[in-house]
Amino acid sequence: MGGGWTGDQAPQGVSPSLLPEFCDVCLPVPLDRVFTYALPLTLRHRVQRGARVIVPFGPRKLTGVVLSLRERYEERSRDVIRLLDESPVFDDHLIALAQWIASYYAAPLGEVFRVMAPLAGEVGKRRSYRLTPAGVDAVRQLTLGTGESGDTSIEILRLLESRNLSETTLAKSVPKAAQILRSLIAKGMVAAEDDPAQRDPLRSPANRLEVEFQARSEEKMPKRQRELLAFLELHPGSHRLDELEEKMAGAAASARALARQNLAQIRLIQPTIRQYAAKGGVVANAHQETALAAICTAIAAGGFTTFLAHGVTGSGKTEVYLRAIDATLNAGKSALLLVPEIALTPAVASQFAARFGDRVAILHSAFNDTERAAQWRRIQSGEVRVAIGTRSAVFAPMQNLGLLIVDEEHDGSYKQEETPRYNGRDVAVLRGQMLSACVLLGSATPSLESRHNAETGRYRLLELPERIEKRPMPMVELVDMRTEFLETRKNSVFSRRLVEAVQNRLIAGEQVMLLMNRRGFSSFVTCRACGERVMCANCAVTLTFHRRDRRLLCHYCNYAEKVPSRCPSCDSEYLQFVGTGSERVEDELHQHFPAARIARMDRDTVSGKHAHEEILQAFRDREYDILVGTQMIAKGHDIPNVTFVGIVNADIGLGMPDFRAAERTFQLLIQASGRAGRGETPGSVLIQTLNPDHYAIRLAGAQDYGLFYEKEIQFRRLMRYPPFSAMANVLVRHETKEEARLMAAAVESLLNPVPEGLRVMGPGEAPVPRLKREYRFQLLLKSASRRTLSEHLLRIRKHALEAKWPATALIIDVDPMSLL
């Protein structure tokens, strides 16, 4: 049976014997199967496909998604503990989308559902305590080992004999229960369990809640509740509970009591979207009008179409997005916009909020679980019709979705690096196809796959070849740092030309952005006596020096250690800090320009919830003269007073063992260059490089996407790389190197002789051979047929299951963006 009954009782005339007795549940575990559970009689008429349930899984209790209902099941099964949703969280479309992702990206279906709905904030954890077998024996014998707990320990064990209890409950009967529980856990007699339970929004902290008058009451009530209700009636609208607490004693407790009587309404405070001044009277140029006409025609027609908007930086793609969404809303449909980075979300959301008001919701990981769940529920209810977010927002439960926009579609941030390893851009195109909706991909530097799809007719190409108001593109200058060294005999971070250019812009009262796409102060620490580098204890990589924190940090596993005063290998005192990161660039800037106000934006400075927004807004408000940072400053930001962009080291990433290295370098240089000259003053860009003749750098300097595409697509065609083949990276990992090698050899043996239509490279050590204490070997599979590739990936997964490999030993990355 595919549905379920609603209401508290079975429909009239329906025999309870006809109700489903079992359900198949997908769980967030790395196992490629569903699990069947028995439905208690009280749930059989209520559980529906797509709803969430809490079920036992081994000693744990997990939240899963009901995939199907069944009347019979031949094997013994455990009972569902609790139903979380009276109506489905996932409708048939989202379930079908999840099944496609699981199949295409070779991922367990339960893991797909885990990332699709950010509803963890609705489920809390309630810690309780239970007896272990040793504790059961102790109760039976009424004897305990040595210790100071005495009779109170026996009392706690006896209380736990019949059922699990919380610490709060135990404390009512036994003094110092917490201390005794710790002692019993140490002795192995008691174990703690975290039970998932539906979280009551009324129990959220007062600073997260707002209250509003709902109804009068003639019933008697405590004085504080009566006074609060009268206040709410006299002051219509929402009031923050924490602010009411300052005015009226006990306001929070009174508000919760009124809410339980349906006299007041309490809800979570929605995240505010800062609205910057909207640009009024924007006149679209001819290229924008042509693009909009094509998009609006497709929206009105209602069929599936994918557009690729290829527009130079500053060409007005955002205005095209805004007007396309306007047309979508006017057609009675909803729209979804994806952006690649959290840093872009606040600024983009503010523009859209200024245009569409409270019809906008935002979804990204900087929100806490409760805020994300609240936004998701607003979208699901149809309260909002425009959603903006990062990668996972592609799963937003929009009602009547008519337009999906993927801004900066080329960006690698759309690819998830954990299971399920989906690409948000490609899922957006697939979702548009499933819903007969319009999909709009936008970029100044489209991915080769997308541009190839446009050339072969799968996408419709829309070109925006000039900046709005005919503003000039920035002038770009390449500086050969080899020549700079020969002339100055100094291994400087900045060339003389860059220092001069920054100084001139500061004198003119203009702003500067400097890109250094590497975190930290120095790339690594080495010993000049023996040549050894200080390595991560968990990974086969060097540790990066972060001077502000005085520590060495691994950027893969976050392992950290103090900076050694002597070489750990030979005890020499001659340690050398090599390489440059964004932290060192900031330090050098302070030395060259002591009067300048400088901000840095990288993962070390934006750990706070609103840190991205605060730094960018302060820079936009001219509180800083220079902004230095990693690639997060290069994407999409429109700051009119920035007239100069300096790229400190353009060569980072070019030497990576990855066929996309040149493409990523070209895209980053073009995107960073595009931040200059977006206002009335023309901009300029200076690129420092050790490889000025490399085609990616040379053509980025010339801002010639067309020639770069032709050169790179020839290389891809010759080597049969995407878009001319389907590709998957198969990686095996284990804590011992020999076991990892044997597993990789088993995969090779499975594919030997190599099947027709498949090419296998490897196995060999991964470029990072050890990561997070696990050794890694990989094979690269390529095929002209995606079906052929999928069939052999399925064979590999079945082998891993039959050989009883650890659940996390095999990683399959379909359409990988990185081979590391």
Side-chain angles (χ1 to χ4, degrees):
M1 298 180 67
W5 308 111
T6 58
D8 294 330
Q9 297 182 358
Q12 188 175 1
V14 177
S15 169
S17 63
L18 298 178
L19 294 174
E21 298 183 22
F22 302 90
C23 62
D24 293 329
V25 180
C26 292
L27 294 175
V29 294
L31 298 172
D32 196 14
R33 52 165 294 192
V34 296
F35 300 86
T36 302
Y37 289 89
L39 289 168
L41 195 59
T42 55
L43 294 183
R44 292 178 186 176
H45 59 286
R46 295 168 56 201
V47 173
Q48 301 181 63
R49 183 174 188 252
R52 293 172 303 152
V53 290
I54 295 176
V55 297
F57 186 77
R60 297 179 292 165
K61 297 178 179 67
L62 299 179
T63 301
V65 176
V66 175
L67 189 63
S68 61
L69 302 171
R70 56 166 76 190
E71 295 175 2
R72 296 182 185 83
Y73 185 61
E74 303 304 325
E75 300 177 24
R76 186 178 177 184
S77 59
R78 303 169 76 179
D79 283 357
V80 170
I81 297 172
R82 189 176 297 116
L83 173 66
L84 291 177
D85 308 300
E86 293 294 338
S87 57
V89 167
F90 300 100
D91 59 18
D92 287 343
H93 159 65
L94 288 176
I95 291 175
L97 182 65
Q99 291 171 326
W100 180 89
I101 291 171
S103 173
Y104 184 92
Y105 290 104
L109 183 57
E111 296 274 42
V112 178
F113 280 124
R114 176 180 55 81
V115 303
M116 287 184 70
L119 298 178
E122 295 183 348
V123 181
K125 286 186 176 180
R126 189 169 49 203
R127 173 156 287 192
S128 62
Y129 296 86
R130 62 174 175 84
L131 292 182
T132 63
V136 173
D137 289 341
V139 173
R140 288 173 182 168
Q141 298 170 20
L142 292 180
T143 58
L144 289 173
T146 58
E148 300 177 0
S149 301
D151 293 339
T152 52
S153 294
I154 296 177
E155 191 175 348
I156 281 186
L157 292 174
R158 281 176 168 165
L159 287 170
L160 293 175
E161 188 177 13
S162 57
R163 61 192 176 96
N164 294 6
L165 294 172
S166 68
E167 180 184 315
T168 304
T169 303
L170 290 169
K172 293 176 182 177
S173 304
V174 182
K176 298 183 179 180
Q179 179 181 342
I180 298 167
L181 282 169
R182 287 195 294 270
S183 173
L184 291 172
I185 290 172
K187 293 175 179 178
M189 295 181 181
V190 170
E193 282 188 356
D194 288 327
D195 298 329
Q198 203 150 16
R199 181 174 280 139
D200 183 359
L202 298 184
R203 295 190 178 186
S204 296
N207 61 357
R208 293 186 183 176
L209 297 174
E210 59 186 10
V211 62
E212 188 172 354
F213 175 80
Q214 189 163 337
R216 294 181 183 177
S217 174
E218 303 301 327
E219 302 291 329
K220 289 186 177 181
M221 62 181 69
K223 179 182 177 182
R224 287 181 175 179
Q225 293 180 28
R226 187 171 65 251
E227 290 177 347
L228 177 60
L229 189 62
F231 175 85
L232 294 175
E233 186 175 8
L234 289 172
H235 300 83
S238 298
H239 301 269
R240 291 180 60 110
L241 271 191
D242 55 346
E243 294 176 357
L244 287 177
E245 276 278 306
E246 296 176 2
K247 300 176 183 177
M248 308 172 68
S254 298
R256 291 184 172 95
L258 293 173
R260 292 188 177 95
Q261 301 171 61
N262 294 320
L263 301 176
Q265 182 182 15
I266 286 183
R267 56 180 169 264
L268 291 164
I269 298 171
Q270 298 300 323
T272 56
I273 302 176
R274 179 184 290 181
Q275 297 185 22
Y276 308 126
K279 297 179 181 178
V282 177
V283 178
N285 60 33
H287 298 291
Q288 289 172 305
E289 292 286 5
T290 300
L292 278 165
I295 296 167
C296 292
T297 300
I299 292 170
F304 167 63
T305 309
T306 300
F307 294 96
L308 174 62
H310 180 192
V312 298
T313 54
S315 60
K317 291 186 289 294
T318 300
E319 184 64 24
V320 172
Y321 301 160
L322 287 164
R323 298 194 185 193
I325 291 175
D326 246 334
T328 304
L329 299 182
N330 291 336
K333 300 178 180 179
S334 60
L336 173 63
L337 170 67
L338 301 184
V339 294
E341 290 273 4
I342 292 174
L344 292 176
T345 310
V348 173
S350 71
Q351 290 179 277
F352 284 70
R355 182 76 67 98
F356 304 115
D358 58 6
R359 293 179 292 176
V360 176
I362 49 180
L363 283 171
H364 62 68
S365 58
F367 290 160
N368 62 45
D369 287 344
T370 305
E371 291 171 332
R372 294 176 70 198
Q375 291 285 300
W376 199 89
R377 289 297 189 185
R378 289 180 68 211
I379 295 168
Q380 186 188 41
S381 69
E383 178 186 339
V384 296
R385 296 174 60 199
V386 180
I388 301 169
T390 46
R391 178 179 60 233
S392 61
V394 72
F395 304 118
M398 307 294 296
Q399 302 295 315
N400 196 19
L401 185 58
L403 175 65
L404 298 95
I405 302 173
V406 184
D407 190 29
E408 309 292 1
E409 64 83 27
H410 68 276
D411 200 286
S413 299
Y414 287 120
K415 186 73 160 80
Q416 172 131 320
E417 296 303 325
E418 300 171 349
T419 303
R421 288 172 164 74
Y422 68 94
N423 189 308
R425 174 199 64 201
D426 298 340
V427 172
V429 174
L430 186 277
R431 193 173 180 191
Q433 184 178 11
M434 294 173 71
L435 294 173
S436 295
C438 181
V439 180
L440 174 58
L441 312 178
S443 177
T445 54
S447 64
L448 265 73
E449 290 87 346
S450 293
R451 184 57 191 251
H452 183 72
N453 282 337
E455 293 205 341
T456 55
R458 294 185 65 186
Y459 298 168
R460 288 183 58 185
L461 181 64
L462 306 172
E463 297 199 80
L464 303 171
E466 61 183 39
R467 284 188 160 183
I468 56 174
E469 300 178 5
K470 297 190 180 296
R471 290 174 182 155
M473 295 296 291
M475 299 294 294
V476 182
E477 177 184 356
L478 297 182
V479 173
D480 188 342
M481 295 301 285
R482 298 170 303 181
T483 304
E484 181 77 11
F485 175 75
L486 290 174
E487 292 177 355
T488 64
R489 294 297 173 181
K490 293 180 180 178
N491 193 17
S492 303
V493 174
F494 304 137
S495 64
R496 293 162 295 174
R497 283 286 300 119
L498 189 143
V499 173
E500 178 188 0
V502 171
Q503 186 67 59
N504 290 339
R505 296 297 180 172
L506 294 179
I507 291 172
E510 296 160 7
Q511 290 174 289
V512 170
M513 295 177 76
L514 292 182
L515 173 73
M516 180 63 194
N517 198 28
R518 180 178 284 155
R519 292 162 55 200
F521 191 88
S522 299
S523 304
F524 59 91
V525 178
T526 187
C527 174
R528 286 185 290 175
C530 70
E532 287 293 315
R533 300 180 180 186
V534 181
M535 306 293 290
C536 174
N538 305 319
C539 312
V541 296
T542 56
L543 294 175
T544 301
F545 174 47
H546 289 249
R547 193 169 76 168
R548 185 181 68 173
D549 301 326
R550 295 299 303 172
R551 63 174 183 167
L552 299 176
L553 178 67
C554 175
H555 291 169
Y556 287 93
C557 73
N558 289 326
Y559 168 82
E561 64 179 53
K562 293 181 179 179
V563 181
S565 58
R566 307 182 73 87
C567 175
S569 180
C570 71
D571 200 39
S572 165
E573 62 181 351
Y574 300 109
L575 294 177
Q576 183 177 6
F577 295 82
V578 181
T580 302
S582 54
E583 188 180 7
R584 183 178 174 188
V585 170
E586 179 190 20
D587 185 73
E588 295 270 346
L589 283 171
H590 281 296
Q591 295 180 35
H592 283 283
F593 311 105
R597 299 165 299 171
I598 302 167
R600 175 162 58 92
M601 188 167 156
D602 55 27
R603 294 195 184 279
D604 299 316
T605 62
V606 295
S607 55
K609 182 175 177 180
H610 299 292
H612 298 89
E613 188 175 2
E614 291 168 357
I615 293 174
L616 285 168
Q617 186 55 37
F619 188 57
R620 191 177 282 110
D621 292 339
R622 303 192 185 187
E623 294 177 21
Y624 297 110
D625 304 307
I626 303 174
L627 177 63
V628 57
T630 54
Q631 62 179 344
M632 60 177 63
I633 72 169
K635 303 174 183 179
H637 307 301
D638 188 350
I639 303 174
N641 197 48
V642 172
T643 57
F644 178 76
V645 169
I647 296 163
V648 179
N649 185 349
D651 311 304
I652 294 176
L654 267 184
M656 301 295 284
D658 194 326
F659 71 94
R660 284 195 173 92
E663 181 185 15
R664 275 198 288 266
T665 298
F666 176 84
Q667 289 168 338
L668 181 61
L669 297 183
I670 290 289
Q671 293 288 335
S673 300
R675 301 314 106 208
R678 298 173 77 95
E680 295 180 0
T681 305
S684 62
V685 178
L686 190 145
I687 300 175
Q688 296 185 164
T689 176
L690 294 169
N691 296 281
D693 297 325
H694 192 287
Y695 67 95
I697 293 175
R698 178 169 46 83
L699 294 176
Q703 301 179 74
D704 193 337
Y705 175 88
L707 191 54
F708 175 81
Y709 172 78
E710 290 299 327
K711 190 172 186 64
E712 189 70 6
I713 205 74
Q714 289 177 17
F715 161 70
R716 300 278 185 93
R717 184 182 288 111
L718 178 67
M719 300 300 295
R720 307 303 300 172
Y721 280 123
F724 301 103
S725 68
M727 189 167 72
N729 188 21
V730 178
L731 186 143
V732 294
R733 57 186 183 181
H734 197 273
E735 290 181 355
T736 66
K737 187 173 185 178
E738 187 58 31
E739 191 64 31
R741 191 196 310 273
L742 289 173
M743 290 192 295
V747 175
E748 180 190 28
S749 178
L750 187 69
L751 300 175
N752 195 12
V754 177
E756 185 178 352
L758 188 72
R759 185 179 178 191
V760 180
M761 291 172 281
E765 284 191 338
V768 180
R770 185 169 180 258
L771 194 64
K772 299 179 182 178
R773 297 191 176 183
E774 292 183 317
Y775 292 92
R776 297 146 35 95
F777 286 79
Q778 68 181 28
L779 300 91
L780 198 62
L781 275 57
K782 293 195 291 186
S783 176
S785 166
R786 190 163 291 280
R787 176 176 293 181
T788 299
L789 180 65
S790 297
E791 289 173 353
H792 294 295
L793 292 178
L794 183 59
R795 287 178 60 203
I796 295 171
R797 295 173 73 194
K798 284 184 176 179
H799 171 80
L801 184 64
E802 292 168 357
K804 297 182 179 180
W805 287 4
T808 58
L810 176 67
I811 296 175
I812 295 177
D813 190 2
V814 178
D815 301 337
M817 291 295 290
S818 171
L819 301 181
L820 297 181

